Amino acid sequence: MNRGGSFLITPLDEYKILTPEHFTEDHRDFREAVLDFAQETIKPRANDIEKLDESLTRNLFEQMGEMGMLGVDIPEEFGGLGLDKTAAALVVEALAYSGSGSLLVTYSDHTGIALFPILWYGNQAQRKKYIPEMMSGKSLGSYALTEPGAGSDALNSNTSAVLSDDGKYYILNGTKQFITNGSWADIGVVFAKVDGTKFTAFILDRTMEGWKRGPEEHKIGIKGSSTTTYIMDNCKIPVENVIGKVGSGAGVAFNVLYIGRLKLGAVTMGAGKAMIKEALDYAKERKQFAQSISNFGMLQSKFAEMIVGSFEAETVTYATTGALDANIEKLADGHPDYYIQLQQIVEDHAIETSINKVLSSEVLFHNVDEGLQVLGGYGYTEEYPFARYYRDERINRIFEGTNEINRLIIGGTMLKKAIMEEIPLRDAISKIGDSWVQQHENKDAMRIDLARTILLVTLNDLILKYGQDFKSRQWMIKPFADIVIAFQVMTAVYARKVAADGSSSKSIIDDIATASIDKRFIEITNSADIIWRHILCSDDIKKRKKSLNDALDAMDYFPDVVTLRQNIFNDLMEKGEYNFG
Amino acid sequence: MKIVVCIKHVPDTETKIVIVDDGKSINSNGVKYILNPYDEYAVEEALQIKEANEESEVVAISVGDDSTQSSIRSALAMGVDRGTLLKTGNFALVDPFSVAKILAEEIKLESPDIILTGKMSIDAYGSQVPGLIAELLELPVVNLARDIVLSEGKATVKRDIEGGSETLITTLPAVISAEKGLNNPRYPALKGIMQAKKKPLEIKEINLDETDVEIIELTYPKQKPAGRIVGNSADAAVELVKLLRQEAKVI
Ligand SMILES: Cc1cc2nc3c(=O)[nH]c(=O)nc-3n(C[C@H](O)[C@H](O)[C@H](O)COP(=O)(O)OP(=O)(O)OC[C@H]3O[C@@H](n4cnc5c(N)ncnc54)[C@H](O)[C@@H]3O)c2cc1C
Ligand SMILES: Cc1cc2nc3c(=O)[nH]c(=O)nc-3n(C[C@H](O)[C@H](O)[C@H](O)COP(=O)(O)OP(=O)(O)OC[C@H]3O[C@@H](n4cnc5c(N)ncnc54)[C@H](O)[C@@H]3O)c2cc1C
């Protein structure tokens, strides 16, 4: 089995990933069909959705239900399509081309964290009762974990659940904060502590008394998605609506977030790609200084940067879905523990799903910001949709685990996998000597091997310095997590470049790969430097720097990143939009 | 009830068309092809008829080349039951009469209760095929349908005419061509896309006789001339009106 985190130690030439160049015909056809729907049906209504128009959103959900978009990776027995994570990611990234951040949030919540607790941990009766109506779009779901005093620290819940005297109900009291789909939801997964200690998940539905919703939050963006509190006011939930066992709520709450992050990563990746065309269309038409502003190098470099970022996000997204699918495929259908095993596969890829979320949400942030800049003053007005994109983008770095919490997960999980020997990091570390030079016929590959050495050496330094306590040293976790993210990007981008042999986009993919690997390599050396200077004595710092500089000298590699980016921009001008694979 | 829909594989309107050196055909490399949008109305109507009449079958037929299969699959993904590709050697050179002859032969074999087509294809703008098929099959034809109601072996068809609309009744079988607004074509469901690959798509090789019509030349539309600023003062308005009347001849 291809374990999560294996990109860290798999020799580069053996590291294979799923790439868009190798999508199946079904995958491509799905993408086309969903893109049509997103652009023809959702996009023209994006401003109406912003008015928090419930009936419009529900109408679109029913249409999406009819087309099968609400249950791509849900088994057919519950009304889904029974397809893989790759297909689900493709559908949601194509939906993101609608440019409606609001609808995408409603969608991701409904098809992700609201649904998976019931699918993975619910019993058959609960699945049969609730999932089909969610698949059709007739019922909207929600997931209520956060509380006023329990945000990132989600287990610090004050919501109580007490068994009724007749033993038929749990009576819930407490307040849930910032619940997506809050005023619209027909169904909710809600968490509370039984007897003050046993954190437990329950299914709420419209029929239950005592489930009240507070007023709408006034948000910066995604104004067309509903966000309210839930007030559990002696809310009576039948005992048969407990998900899993009493006291097993933490696993339910956190494990579905891996899926949530995977989906949010795909949404933000798609949205980031869509920004490029919108900004480019404007740039082509806008004339200043008697020419199209797309002639100006500073704007061209922005576009090249957007392409590189989106290429990285896309590559990493499908590397992850491909790895998950390859593992999930091997599970025996109908096995009583099927969903437990499936969940374990996803959890094992915690590093990857957090990387997807952080990387794609930050690429979207960058693309929206630079895209708006391309529009100049017009980008700042409501005449153009960039103002809305700018507002809508912001939430992605906050929910489904803030990007800080996700960096903690990346660092913490790495540490755990190293210490538990889940991936033989120790072994890899022990093989590194004073010389960091490794030969490879491809210089990008040499750089990646060098980056791996830096990563492993730095991890070793951190473990020697702090031991298990590393996980609470956030000043160090941040740069270390950035190294891991950059390294996953490099390896995946390189694997994609190799897999693109024979594709018509081969030569431009080579350029993008070199530009990406170059940029990420510089990031890694910067982050490592920050760590070394904080935890090593000056002799050791000098030793590290000497090893690094000797390796760089031996490599003798100075790719001209300006020419690479010019090529990337010219390719974009020819195609008119982000389009690879 | 059996419904035959005639469909065509056409370049997407957003595609950039490049005429090849012979000046008589377009370079299909890099051109995105789609199911002709007017034919989508015909397909949707056929599916609605099928849904309203038990034990109905919808067959899509198309004259084209191998690439045409993708448009037939699009129709299958929408819900059409099976497809037939009437494959010719050089699709680009087939004239409307030859297309109609090939289609009519095939329709005869199917003997459907109703034949639906789009009102025209968005590439050639011929609008000839529905009428020609009807003539060859000796069937009635109604063009530009905006509404179709079937009952007791007859079709009541509403169509727009100058300043209003008219309603006709025709016996069946008949050839009816679809106008925009006849219905709202459905998006293919994702499941439909998967199933479409498993639905029967028969390919029949067609040997074309000499065609009667030959394309002499294809040209690009005239480039719009650059705009001209007549002046900034009030006098310019007078000048502008004069030019619009005498030179541009638009008022
Ligand atoms: C529009 C919107 C929709 C939402 N939808 C839902 C939903 O449907 N269901 C749901 O349950 N929740 C939802 N949330 C809640 C969301 O998940 C939380 O806002 C998020 O988890 C952060 O919690 P908080 O807002 O309390 O911030 P806090 O936890 O107070 O965080 C404040 C800051 O401190 C940082 N921080 C906190 N702890 C740590 C730490 N240990 N280490 C380093 N930094 C830390 C955070 O990164 C952040 O920068 C939604 C929120 C919004 C705004
Ligand atoms: C809220 C607001 C208040 C304003 N207030 C005032 C005011 O009080 N008075 C006033 O006169 N103006 C004002 N402006 C106008 C403002 O100064 C212009 O928006 C700004 O100069 C940019 O011009 P533009 O919007 O036409 O963008 P453009 O000039 O079209 O620029 C679009 C993009 O192209 C880039 N670009 C343009 N030319 C080049 C080049 N040669 N090389 C490289 N890149 C280039 C720009 O950097 C930008 O990224 C205001 C604008 C806003 C939004």
Side-chain angles (χ1 to χ4, degrees), chain A residues 234-266:
Chain A
N234 286 319
C235 176
K236 277 170 80 178
I237 302 184
V239 289
E240 54 272 22
N241 275 28
V242 169
I243 300 180
K245 291 197 189 75
V246 169
S248 69
V252 179
F254 291 140
N255 290 335
V256 298
L257 285 174
Y258 299 118
I259 283 286
R261 287 170 195 138
L262 188 70
K263 287 185 187 281
L264 187 60

Side-chain angles (χ1 to χ4, degrees), chain A residues 105 109 113 143-148 150-153 177-181 219 222 225 227 395 398-405 408 474:
Chain A
V105 167
D109 185 48
I113 52 180
Y143 167 92
L145 176 65
T146 305
E147 296 181 14
S152 299
D153 185 10
Q177 179 81 349
F178 298 140
I179 307 310
T180 299
N181 299 348
K219 305 188 292 283
I222 55 165
S225 77
T227 316
I395 186 61
I398 297 173
F399 60 16
E400 308 263 0
T402 64
N403 284 11
E404 290 76 27
I405 294 295
L408 277 182
Q474 295 198 2

